[in-house]
Amino acid sequence: MPGGFHGRILRVNLTAGELGEEHPPEITYRRYMGGSAMSLYFLLRDHVPGMDPLGPQNRLVFMSSVISGAPLVGLTRYTVAARSPLTGAFGEAEAGGYWGPELKRAGFDGIIIEGVSPKPVYLWIKDGRAEVRDAARLHGQDTGRVQTWIREELGDPRVRVAQCGPAGERLVRYACVLNELKHANGRTGMGAVMGSKNLRAVAVRGTQSLPMAEPERVRMLSRRLVERIGPSPLGESLKKYGTPMFVMALQKAGILPTRNFQAGRFEGAENISAQAVNETILESSKGCYACAVRCKRSVSAKGKYSVSPEYGGPEYETLAALGSACGVKDLEAVAYGNELCNRWGLDTISTGACIAFAMECVEKGVLSETETDGLDLAFGNAEAMVEMIRKIAFREGFGDVLAEGVRLAAETIGRGAERFALHVKGQELPMHDPRGKHGVALGYATSPTGADHIEAPHDTAFLTENLMLKSMNPAGVLEPVTAFGLTPQKVRHFVHTQQIWNFYNSLGVCNFAAVPYTAFTLGLLAEAVEAIIGWDTSVYELMELGERTITMGRMFNVREGFTTQYDDLPERLFEPLEPGTPSEMRLCRDEFHDALNLYYEAMGWDRDTGIPRKGRLAYLGLDWL
Ligand code: SF4
């Protein structure tokens, strides 16, 4: 094998209690490279369509990439993938931290898990060996306690633990997988799939160093990347404020999701802003493996809500989901909500979105206090928001209804509740309102995982001839776009940038460490692949990987019965945001559908069915599909 990866995939059958290995040939690694695409390769190859996402046949894949774990800025991410219990479509989520690089140091590139263990277990991987261990005493416990117990049992405080929480054990459909208590494979319910297998955790420890094709070139590249982060204004802001800096940016643009997307300006925005975080609850900035950006937050509070720094701190998405979307301006309550989600293994976005949905049902008289277990679920009620998180995690009372996600909860509630259930393909909207950046509408509609805010860089970053736009030039993105409108130029822009962020998902590259935000240019990424692995590659090959990733996600969904009718948005997003909002912010349904049709054609997909054409599949080396 060349440098960078091991050629070893661990296979685990929990029903039979068997462990084995698969050794894909180099050409498979070259075609799919890791993360999202490599996971899709295994799922499409091994899955029988139509299986129960929470049944034994669903494969749960943990996948790093051919370059992740190399000592370079931002190469930290790994993917967890399966058929999603939230959407029934392709499910995946990426996470940073240290777990992915540790798996590589432990001698494996990925893990494929199938079956269901008859009793709670965890998987222990160290330096090329793996075993399934009893986890009976871990069942039902907080993530913090589980991590401590596993480290004590294994006698090594440096063991890295990825786990589902009690929410995953209870099959909450948007339960996440969490590593180191704070880095989440957040979306699409991968924690529920893990819980359905009676697999509480995957603990890894590696002491091997990763072979590099050209170690000196990797070292030089590392120095160059660190130098590039220093003067980058956005890199500087990310380090100082982290993603919470987006709260005020979106508030100023009039698109901070407020009270379940009923408004775009929140009167309490300053209370939950990055400034407020830094001045009141910030303990320190944190980073992921080998990353000099250090955009992660660690917070604490000792007032009415006691918040521990070991669970990290709220990112922008969490501040908006548990804050403005629920009308809550109590920052400590939001930080505490973030801790509870991490303690119990819940995706903070879907959790906040489900609570905001219930709050609007109450506001519009669709739900009564009796139905919400006596909780006053009024917008702005921080205590009710916090208590609802507990009820969801433990499926208690009305929490059992919300644990199903907004689509199914609305069906259960009835009485027109679906008007307030904001989702795409069953996944709750992230905290970005496409009415203020119309390209995001295409991302929400076409992402195979349902509404996803990191499907492509948002169009508002490319309004002028700025550095961000220039960083995309090598991919053919040359001209600024406007935030509003879905012109052919916008569709072209989206197609290219979607490919970039999808190859990041397959290479395990962090979006905040690469273009358009910081150090890693497209050219430098190609150079990193060459230096780490020894392959002669190009930006072209990486862009093609991005298109391959998108197309495989589409094929997964086609097999599961998803048609173009699912590439749609909730009705609310076609309505005016609030009185006084500029008319150009309105998303026009006809223009949206024209843009979608153009997108299908640009991707080589059939315009009526949305199915990739045979010629395009062949071009991408996917004719086997
Ligand atoms: S940019 Fe932030 S999230 Fe990304 S790898 Fe670095 S520290 Fe982690």
Side-chain angles (χ1 to χ4, degrees):
M1 279 288 166
F5 59 98
H6 303 285
R8 294 176 74 190
I9 306 290
L10 179 66
R11 297 212 61 137
V12 183
N13 185 321
L14 289 169
T15 305
E18 286 172 1
L19 296 167
E21 277 188 37
E22 178 168 346
H23 304 110
E26 187 177 338
I27 192 170
T28 302
Y29 278 95
R30 178 110 193 203
R31 186 157 287 150
Y32 307 107
M33 298 209 187
S36 190
M38 196 86 160
S39 301
L40 276 159
Y41 166 72
F42 290 119
L43 295 180
L44 284 161
R45 188 194 67 180
D46 296 350
H47 265 188
V48 177
M51 70 178 58
D52 177 2
L54 297 173
Q57 289 179 315
N58 199 6
R59 267 73 166 174
L60 181 68
V61 182
F62 288 73
M63 193 57 60
S64 70
S65 86
V66 287
I67 59 169
S68 61
L72 296 176
V73 164
L75 303 188
T76 64
R77 294 202 173 186
Y78 67 99
T79 296
V80 180
R83 187 177 184 213
S84 165
L86 184 65
T87 64
F90 174 51
E92 72 156 343
E94 278 73 37
Y98 290 75
W99 191 93
E102 195 76 27
L103 177 70
K104 292 287 288 282
R105 285 162 60 89
F108 290 101
D109 304 314
I111 312 166
I112 303 172
I113 301 158
E114 60 191 295
V116 172
S117 168
K119 57 185 176 90
V121 291
Y122 76 93
L123 184 60
W124 166 227
I125 299 168
K126 181 167 187 203
D127 287 338
R129 304 168 81 100
E131 63 176 301
V132 176
R133 297 176 72 111
D134 181 68
R137 71 172 178 156
L138 308 182
H139 195 70
Q141 301 295 331
D142 287 4
T143 51
R145 198 167 294 170
V146 166
Q147 179 169 281
T148 303
W149 276 351
I150 289 177
R151 286 176 173 168
E152 280 173 7
E153 180 169 286
L154 298 171
D156 185 346
R158 298 187 66 182
V159 168
R160 310 279 182 191
V161 179
Q163 58 174 313
C164 68
E169 291 173 340
R170 285 173 175 77
L171 310 182
V172 175
R173 287 185 188 270
Y174 44 90
C176 67
V177 174
L178 204 69
N179 80 75
E180 308 259 292
L181 310 183
K182 47 188 165 296
H183 305 288
N185 301 90
R187 309 232 66 201
T188 69
M190 296 299 96
V193 177
M194 198 165 169
S196 74
K197 299 192 172 306
N198 249 335
L199 177 67
R200 180 59 200 259
V202 182
V204 294
R205 180 80 172 100
T207 57
Q208 309 168 12
S209 55
L210 206 56
M212 300 288 143
E214 297 178 70
E216 187 48 37
R217 198 172 163 200
V218 173
R219 268 192 290 278
M220 282 171 60
L221 203 49
S222 173
R223 278 198 290 275
R224 215 169 137 197
L225 289 171
V226 172
E227 280 165 18
R228 281 178 57 79
I229 287 170
S232 149
L234 204 58
E236 192 63 20
S237 302
L238 275 169
K239 187 179 289 188
K240 190 168 177 192
Y241 296 112
T243 58
M245 71 180 181
F246 296 124
V247 171
M248 289 314 289
L250 294 184
Q251 166 82 352
K252 282 183 189 135
I255 48 170
L256 180 64
T258 300
R259 289 182 281 280
N260 202 30
F261 286 79
Q262 293 184 86
R265 288 208 167 83
F266 178 45
E267 63 283 359
E270 284 185 358
N271 303 49
I272 57 167
S273 65
Q275 200 81 30
V277 170
N278 281 15
E279 286 169 5
T280 58
I281 58 173
L282 185 68
E283 279 262 320
S284 58
S285 303
K286 297 278 182 198
C288 304
Y289 170 82
C291 187
V293 178
R294 295 181 70 78
C295 71
K296 298 279 186 175
R297 317 275 89 184
S298 183
V299 304
S300 71
K302 293 193 171 56
K304 178 176 176 188
Y305 299 104
S306 172
V307 181
S308 159
E310 69 174 334
Y311 290 97
E315 301 265 359
Y316 160 72
E317 294 294 326
T318 310
L319 289 163
L322 300 177
S324 57
C326 293
V328 171
K329 57 185 172 192
D330 180 337
L331 180 60
E332 291 191 5
V334 172
Y336 186 58
N338 176 68
E339 173 174 323
L340 295 184
C341 288
N342 288 355
R343 240 201 251 173
W344 297 326
L346 286 169
D347 171 32
T348 57
I349 297 177
S350 284
T351 302
C354 284
I355 297 172
F357 154 76
M359 286 176 162
E360 188 171 0
C361 287
V362 169
E363 184 186 72
K364 300 284 160 60
V366 170
L367 267 178
S368 69
E369 214 166 293
T370 330
E371 290 167 290
T372 60
D373 310 327
L375 263 189
D376 173 20
L377 275 180
F379 280 117
N381 187 341
E383 284 179 17
M385 180 272 288
V386 165
E387 174 59 7
M388 206 61 236
I389 293 174
R390 192 188 63 75
K391 283 175 168 289
I392 291 170
F394 294 94
R395 280 189 174 270
E396 184 188 295
F398 184 63
D400 193 37
V401 176
L402 291 188
E404 294 288 283
V406 294
R407 178 176 57 177
L408 294 176
E411 276 176 27
T412 304
I413 295 165
R415 305 186 291 267
E418 70 276 1
R419 281 176 292 141
F420 318 125
L422 307 181
H423 67 88
V424 177
K425 297 184 180 72
Q427 173 153 264
E428 292 73 21
L429 295 191
M431 296 299 121
H432 297 271
D433 196 322
R435 286 171 288 189
K437 33 187 177 182
H438 291 181
V440 172
L442 288 175
Y444 281 4
T446 62
S447 165
T449 57
D452 180 2
H453 60 292
I454 44 175
E455 186 63 13
H458 298 184
D459 32 4
T460 35
F462 309 101
L463 303 181
T464 59
E465 298 263 4
N466 57 17
L467 276 176
M468 298 215 231
L469 179 67
K470 285 197 171 63
S471 72
M472 294 289 192
N473 286 175
V477 180
L478 304 176
E479 295 133 341
V481 290
T482 60
F484 311 123
L486 289 168
T487 60
Q489 191 206 351
K490 178 69 73 74
V491 173
R492 178 179 182 280
H493 175 93
F494 175 74
V495 167
H496 286 301
T497 55
Q498 186 188 32
Q499 286 170 4
I500 293 170
W501 275 19
N502 271 271
F503 87 64
Y504 287 179
N505 281 353
S506 292
L507 270 182
V509 177
C510 174
N511 313 53
F512 289 125
V515 299
Y517 295 121
T518 50
F520 245 131
T521 62
L522 297 171
L524 287 175
L525 261 172
E527 203 178 322
V529 172
E530 288 183 358
I532 295 166
I533 307 173
W535 292 339
D536 182 11
T537 189
S538 61
V539 174
Y540 170 79
E541 186 179 11
L542 300 182
M543 292 294 286
E544 196 182 65
L545 170 67
E547 184 183 346
R548 188 175 294 118
T549 306
I550 298 161
T551 305
M552 291 173 85
R554 188 76 185 181
M555 287 304 289
F556 185 99
N557 287 356
V558 165
R559 295 199 330 181
E560 298 296 347
F562 285 81
T563 59
T564 48
Q565 84 182 75
Y566 293 89
D567 298 340
D568 208 351
L569 301 176
E571 196 52 41
R572 171 157 296 167
L573 298 184
F574 295 108
E575 294 165 359
L577 193 51
E578 56 199 324
T581 305
S583 58
E584 70 265 25
M585 280 180 81
R586 189 159 182 178
L587 255 179
C588 166
R589 188 173 268 287
D590 288 344
E591 194 182 33
F592 169 71
H593 283 297
D594 286 349
L596 265 183
N597 285 334
L598 200 55
Y599 169 82
Y600 298 146
E601 288 187 6
M603 292 295 290
W605 301 355
D606 183 89
R607 191 183 164 120
D608 297 323
T609 62
I611 298 174
R613 294 209 181 88
K614 278 187 182 170
R616 202 63 200 167
L617 291 176
Y619 172 85
L620 293 168
L622 299 174
D623 39 305
W624 61 276
L625 285 170

